[in-house]
Amino acid sequence: MSQQINLFNSAFEKQKQVLTAAGMAQALGLMLLASGALAWYGAHQVAVLERAADDSKVMLAAREARRADVLTRFPTPQKDPLIARALGQAEADRAALFEAQTILQGGELGNTQGYADYFRAFAHARVNGLWLTGASIVGAGKEIGLQGRTVQPDLVPQYIRALSRESVLQGKSFARLDMAAAQIPAAAPPLSAPPPGAMAAAVAAPSLRFIEFSLQSSAAPAGGAAGAVKE
């Protein structure tokens, strides 16, 4: 005997969703409301941006107006060609002075202090009865020549010793000494005034003979040189 068993359960059957008119209207209303909100928000943002753009335009226009006013009242100065040339000349002078300073500091010109100290030493080392008629100095005092006259030959060594005591002549020596008899012409007095007694003797007796001497360092020339004073 057979028996049929029904295994179908209606609970597992797919249920059909029925969309009613009221549900559709409610959904459509929600969509319209959301769209309206988005449109309002977008319009509001656009309005804010437009106001910001307008404010920026106003500020830019005001700045441009102020800039134009400043340029009108204070025009940009043009370069003056005279000032440019003067500046170029000043730069050239500065470069030349700097180059000259470099040369002086490098010692390329030899003695840059002058010869006043030497001539003061020649005058300070004075011996009565002896006077100078000429002096020559070359370079930094390495080459020195002295010419003079005296009434007594033994006064020359005294003058040399006096010179050796002068600070500017320390360490310097004379390698050559020439002495010869000479006569002073009455119309040509010496460069350095001789002692009164010697000059009076020369005037009273024009034929009186004097000793003319010449002191030379090892490399000094016989004639005048830089810083020379001749009778």
Side-chain angles (χ1 to χ4, degrees):
M1 178 178 177
S2 63
Q3 185 179 1
Q4 295 182 350
I5 299 174
N6 187 7
L7 299 177
F8 176 76
N9 189 348
S10 59
F12 295 101
E13 185 178 2
K14 185 177 182 180
Q15 300 294 326
K16 294 181 179 180
Q17 298 293 333
V18 179
L19 184 62
T20 63
M24 292 179 61
Q26 187 179 5
L28 181 60
L30 291 174
M31 292 177 61
L32 291 176
L33 182 61
S35 299
L38 289 174
W40 177 85
Y41 180 76
H44 177 71
Q45 290 298 110
V46 169
V48 171
L49 294 175
E50 287 180 348
R51 285 196 299 272
D54 293 338
D55 293 341
S56 299
K57 290 180 180 179
V58 172
M59 293 177 61
L60 180 60
R63 291 180 179 178
E64 289 294 332
R66 288 198 297 271
R67 177 176 178 272
D69 181 62
V70 170
L71 291 178
T72 302
R73 291 187 297 171
F74 307 100
T76 302
Q78 302 295 328
K79 290 185 178 180
D80 191 343
L82 296 178
I83 295 178
R85 285 196 296 269
L87 181 60
Q89 184 62 41
E91 290 293 336
D93 294 343
R94 177 179 175 275
L97 289 175
F98 182 77
E99 183 179 1
Q101 181 183 9
T102 302
I103 294 174
L104 291 174
Q105 291 177 349
E108 298 181 22
L109 296 181
N111 180 18
T112 59
Q113 303 299 325
Y115 301 99
D117 291 340
Y118 288 95
F119 288 103
R120 277 194 291 266
F122 298 155
H124 186 261
R126 184 166 138 188
V127 175
N128 290 331
L130 180 148
W131 63 96
L132 294 180
T133 59
S136 60
I137 304 173
V138 177
K142 294 181 179 180
E143 302 176 5
I144 300 176
L146 296 176
Q147 298 80 42
R149 290 168 180 167
T150 180
V151 294
Q152 299 177 8
D154 58 348
L155 296 181
V156 177
Q158 296 182 27
Y159 184 66
I160 295 175
R161 285 193 294 269
L163 289 175
S164 66
R165 291 191 292 268
E166 298 295 326
S167 59
V168 71
L169 297 173
Q170 292 292 328
K172 302 184 183 299
S173 61
F174 294 97
R176 179 178 174 182
L177 171 61
D178 296 327
M179 300 179 66
Q183 180 178 343
I184 300 178
L191 178 65
S192 300
M199 195 63 190
V203 173
S207 60
L208 182 64
R209 302 178 69 85
F210 289 82
I211 302 299
E212 193 170 59
F213 67 90
S214 174
L215 283 170
Q216 303 291 338
S217 62
S218 58
V229 175
K230 297 295 292 180
E231 182 183 27

